[in-house]
Amino acid sequence: MRNLTLLTDLYQLTMMYGYSKNRQMDRIAVFDVFYRGVGNNYAVACGLEQVVDYILHLRFEDDDIAYLRSLNLFDEPFLQLLRDFRFTGDIYAVPEGTVVFPQEPILTVKARLFEAQLIETAILCILNHQTLIATKTAKIVYAARGGAIAEFGLRRAQGPDAGIYGARAAMIAGCASTSNVLAGQMFDVPISGTHAHSWVMSFDTELDAFRAYAQMYPDSCLLLVDTYDTLGSGVPHAIQVFRELRAAGHEPIGIRLDSGDLAYLSRKAREMLDEAGFENAKIFASGDIDENVLQSLFTQNAAIDCWGIGTKLITSSDCPSLGGVYKLAAIEQDGQLVPKMKMSDTPAKITNPGFKKVVRLLDKTSGKAIADLICLREETFDGMQEIEIFHPDFAWKRKRVTNFIAQELHVQVIRDGKLVYDLPDVRDIAAYHKQSFGAFWNEYKRMLNPNIYKVDLSHKLFDLKQRLIKQYGGVEKSDK
């Protein structure tokens, strides 16, 4: 694990310096990480394991101290505080793979203000990226209607870390494999890949290239057929090689299309393969595909079984930023946690105060999610037979919920600076994500005009928020 302690914004350090000078550093503070929802009606939480690694390895090394000294911004007593720095607080989070919604705390930090301030930037960097890619992947996997998705994005990722941890997020959100060999090694996930156009072009003929590949991998032969003429030579040559494989006692996997009209080419290729007796041969497609392209291809009756998706997945091309934020929710005063909230003329930027958690209401009969409640941490719903939920902005929109199970989403991950949570491996997280995603009706997951899932505030949190709005002067002035 690299030492990422200086992976922070300068103003985190200047604020820490200020806290040390103003006797604020030891006050306990609560910060929430959440996203506001621009571009995503739901998200898939991802990156917790890397946050934990970062937190547990926080150390200002001699080189770090020397560099900070060279900036001439800090005095020696402060630099000594950094030299002795260790995270000693608590962290709560939803497990990786959990489906979450705007305004819901994905992760909550409770720690000394001095500690909690430093870690903001790195936590957001890690969670924003992996959650973004996991969310994009979940949409693609859903749109594929059960077809296997292979993550192919490493060459188009914005740097090695984006390629490695983007692949991790993609596997968590439902990809069947990744082309990224290092990610396969690091996270013990399936890797996949065959050959490129350059392989075909390096031989005298396309047929020679196909035969050479089939000789190397007779039991896993999948041939790229669009280097020259997909239907005129690529598919016929593949069929010729498949016949030779079968005569030798082997069965091919199938063909890959990487360009052209994928709907038309796949239908024609399917006819040719079936007529030749290779009804079980798969058709694999790649080439700038995302959930919108998938939906279009299905409406055109494309005969494609599996998909390789790279650029638009690994960069989340239509929504390049999750927009997650890290906001102060409470701070210690006279030994008590005092709720805090940010006011704004932009309603979406008004935060929810207090030390909070998220409770998901699940129907006892179907197991499907009914609504989420953002509530104060001390609240409990055990044993309740009925609960009234209401829209946090339009309180007249109300619903009585019965026959439900109240599931708390947060788990404690770090206590007093020590790991207290068993971090699952990527395969287990992927299985958990499938369960979490499956708890939602398709109406919430469709691409066009999805139904908006109910995320409400508990009565206690709503009342607290209204009191603070009045306290902070949240009444429009008549002379404004």
Side-chain angles (χ1 to χ4, degrees):
M1 178 67 185
R2 292 172 297 172
N3 186 339
L4 300 179
T5 304
L6 287 189
L7 186 68
T8 191
D9 293 303
L10 178 61
Y11 80 166
Q12 311 290 12
L13 291 165
T14 59
M15 284 189 283
M16 293 168 68
Y17 187 44
Y19 296 146
S20 72
K21 292 298 182 184
N22 291 275
R23 299 182 180 179
Q24 300 288 311
M25 57 183 285
D26 291 327
R27 295 176 71 187
I28 300 300
V30 174
F31 286 84
D32 290 327
V33 176
F34 60 92
Y35 80 104
R36 295 190 175 112
V38 178
N40 286 300
N41 59 307
Y42 68 84
V44 177
C46 200
L48 178 61
E49 181 176 335
Q50 283 65 51
V51 167
V52 169
D53 282 346
Y54 159 73
I55 294 293
L56 297 182
H57 290 86
L58 279 170
R59 301 286 189 277
F60 285 89
E61 306 290 352
D62 290 344
D63 288 348
D64 301 331
I65 298 297
Y67 170 70
L68 294 175
R69 182 181 291 114
S70 74
L71 300 177
N72 295 317
L73 293 172
F74 312 112
D75 62 17
E76 288 302 319
F78 177 71
L79 295 177
Q80 185 58 49
L81 287 173
L82 297 186
R83 188 182 296 279
D84 297 334
F85 185 95
R86 300 291 185 272
F87 183 80
T88 62
D90 301 336
I91 291 181
Y92 304 81
V94 300
E96 289 192 84
T98 302
V99 175
V100 293
F101 297 90
Q103 306 300 325
E104 295 183 344
I106 299 172
L107 181 144
T108 295
V109 174
K110 182 184 179 186
R112 294 192 308 147
L113 188 56
F114 190 74
E115 299 173 23
Q117 195 70 68
L118 173 68
I119 62 179
E120 171 184 355
T121 302
I123 286 178
L124 287 178
C125 177
I126 294 166
L127 293 182
N128 270 328
H129 173 246
Q130 288 199 50
T131 299
L132 178 72
I133 304 306
T135 303
K136 180 66 172 178
T137 303
K139 294 178 179 180
I140 290 171
V141 170
Y142 178 71
R145 303 183 185 181
I149 303 292
E151 184 277 313
F152 272 15
L154 181 57
R155 289 172 296 171
R156 304 294 176 82
Q158 286 125 338
D161 279 359
I164 293 167
Y165 293 105
R168 178 184 187 273
M171 294 301 297
I172 284 171
C175 279
S177 63
T178 176
S179 67
N180 188 329
V181 179
L182 181 55
Q185 179 193 43
M186 289 174 63
F187 309 122
D188 188 26
V189 295
I191 59 174
S192 61
T194 55
H195 65 81
H197 297 104
S198 57
W199 171 266
V200 178
M201 295 164 67
S202 69
F203 286 79
D204 290 339
T205 70
E206 184 177 58
L207 186 57
D208 288 340
F210 287 178
R211 280 174 170 155
Y213 191 82
Q215 185 176 8
M216 290 188 299
Y217 301 106
D219 294 312
S220 58
C221 183
L222 192 148
L223 300 173
L224 179 60
V225 297
D226 72 330
T227 303
Y228 300 122
D229 182 345
T230 302
L231 300 180
S233 69
V235 177
H237 283 153
I239 289 172
Q240 184 174 345
V241 171
F242 291 170
R243 285 173 172 152
E244 293 169 2
L245 280 173
R246 180 173 284 174
H250 305 283
E251 282 297 312
I253 298 297
I255 63 171
R256 176 160 74 97
L257 304 171
D258 189 53
S259 61
D261 186 333
L262 295 177
Y264 171 76
L265 292 174
S266 66
R267 292 196 303 268
K268 290 298 183 181
R270 182 75 273 160
E271 291 175 7
M272 296 167 70
L273 289 166
D274 289 352
E275 288 174 3
F278 294 100
E279 296 89 347
N280 293 326
K282 303 294 186 184
I283 297 179
F284 191 100
S286 54
D288 288 331
I289 296 170
D290 65 3
E291 68 271 29
N292 298 303
V293 174
L294 286 171
Q295 183 171 345
S296 175
L297 287 170
F298 279 117
T299 64
Q300 299 171 68
N301 297 314
I304 300 170
D305 304 291
C306 310
W307 314 84
I309 302 183
T311 304
K312 292 185 177 181
L313 184 157
I314 205 67
T315 64
S316 186
S317 58
D318 61 332
C319 181
S321 173
L322 181 73
V325 295
Y326 183 95
K327 296 298 181 183
L328 181 68
I331 192 164
E332 184 183 30
Q333 184 174 324
D334 298 326
Q336 300 293 322
L337 277 178
V338 177
K340 293 286 183 177
M341 66 179 286
K342 178 188 181 298
M343 295 292 293
S344 175
D345 289 335
T346 303
K349 291 193 172 184
I350 298 175
T351 61
N352 292 315
F355 190 18
K356 299 178 295 296
K357 63 183 178 183
V358 180
V359 172
R360 180 155 294 162
L361 304 180
L362 300 169
D363 183 83
K364 280 185 178 179
T365 303
S366 66
K368 296 293 187 181
I370 302 168
D372 284 3
L373 280 179
I374 305 175
C375 52
L376 296 173
R377 183 153 291 274
E378 67 268 17
E379 291 188 74
T380 179
F381 302 93
D382 293 341
M384 293 183 64
Q385 301 300 312
E386 182 178 287
I387 186 170
E388 182 184 60
I389 59 175
F390 59 92
H391 194 290
D393 297 320
F394 308 104
W396 53 270
K397 296 178 102 174
R398 293 175 178 253
K399 175 183 175 74
R400 290 193 176 275
V401 179
T402 58
N403 192 42
F404 67 90
I405 299 169
Q407 177 189 51
E408 291 196 10
L409 297 188
H410 286 174
V411 295
Q412 185 159 14
V413 180
I414 291 177
R415 180 185 299 123
D416 299 330
K418 295 179 174 58
L419 181 65
V420 293
Y421 174 68
D422 290 331
L423 292 165
D425 63 27
V426 169
R427 293 172 188 259
D428 288 340
I429 299 170
Y432 167 77
H433 162 70
K434 186 175 182 180
Q435 176 186 355
S436 179
F437 196 73
F440 293 89
W441 297 105
N442 289 336
E443 288 84 347
Y444 300 120
K445 297 183 280 194
R446 65 188 179 214
M447 287 182 289
L448 185 62
N449 297 323
N451 202 354
I452 303 303
Y453 181 72
K454 296 177 180 64
V455 178
D456 300 337
L457 306 183
S458 70
H459 286 268
K460 287 186 70 173
L461 179 55
F462 179 82
D463 291 343
L464 171 62
K465 187 172 184 177
Q466 297 309 307
R467 287 199 304 272
L468 291 181
I469 288 174
K470 292 179 181 179
Q471 177 183 325
Y472 294 158
V475 178
E476 187 173 347
K477 305 295 190 296
S478 60
D479 61 346
K480 183 176 179 181

